[in-house]
Amino acid sequence: MGRAGQRAVLATPVDGRIFFAGEACHSHDFSTAHGAYETGVAAARAIIGDDATIA
């Protein structure tokens, strides 16, 4: 059996201070560059807010 559900566990922030990103954290675009990018943007937004411009 697979462990795809564990991706959500891996992506969960710790104490609201440590955020994880990368292709392994994406729920369905794992093993891809765009999956890594999307989780990086999501982590950055969680830290600095939704209004910030992110490339």
Side-chain angles (χ1 to χ4, degrees):
M1 291 293 177
R3 300 272 187 232
Q6 294 299 98
R7 294 184 192 291
V9 174
L10 178 63
T12 303
V14 177
D15 295 329
R17 299 181 307 137
I18 301 172
F19 294 84
F20 297 95
E23 27 108 7
C25 296
H26 203 286
S27 59
H28 57 275
D29 285 328
F30 48 90
S31 298
T32 65
H34 60 273
Y37 175 79
E38 288 177 5
T39 59
V41 169
R45 289 195 187 287
I47 295 166
I48 62 176
D50 288 330
D51 296 332
T53 301
I54 300 173

